[in-house]
Amino acid sequence: MMADKKVLQVNMVAADHPVWSGTATSVTIPGTEGQMGILPDHEPLLSIIKGGTVSVVDPSGERHSFEVADGFISFDSNKLTIAVERGRDVVRTSGAD
């Protein structure tokens, strides 16, 4: 295992299908109090999330964005579970921000 970059394991699921699974260096979620960032070694957390965009940065630095409906997250021991009513990958065209 490489010691130079800490990662967390992410598993994002919608009610009827898996959305995304993999490792990440950071995840930003739409919390009820605003955007919430989660990094490796974050304290254990159970939180409700609202509809919005979940942003995952993978170990190569690539950002993945997902539109999600209401749900919740659970984080413990560098494992993040994001369970949402609906979720889909956001397809970005070049030049769009």
Side-chain angles (χ1 to χ4, degrees):
M1 180 153 174
M2 295 172 65
D4 61 329
K5 192 175 273 196
K6 281 243 177 213
V7 296
L8 48 110
Q9 184 66 40
V10 180
N11 190 22
M12 189 179 332
V13 295
D16 57 350
H17 67 283
V19 179
W20 192 84
S21 185
T23 57
T25 55
S26 71
V27 180
T28 305
I29 58 157
T32 54
E33 304 291 317
Q35 292 287 92
M36 183 180 349
I38 297 174
L39 299 170
D41 298 328
H42 193 286
E43 64 187 47
L45 177 69
L46 183 62
S47 180
I48 292 171
I49 61 173
K50 61 180 185 174
T53 303
V54 171
S55 185
V56 178
V57 178
D58 70 22
S60 70
E62 188 176 346
R63 184 179 298 274
H64 306 270
S65 296
F66 305 90
E67 285 299 319
V68 299
D70 296 357
F72 72 91
I73 63 156
S74 170
F75 183 77
D76 192 16
S77 306
N78 284 336
K79 289 182 176 55
L80 175 65
T81 300
I82 304 170
V84 293
E85 211 171 289
R86 289 185 314 282
R88 66 179 181 83
D89 199 341
V90 177
V91 179
R92 293 185 188 271
T93 55
S94 60
D97 198 55

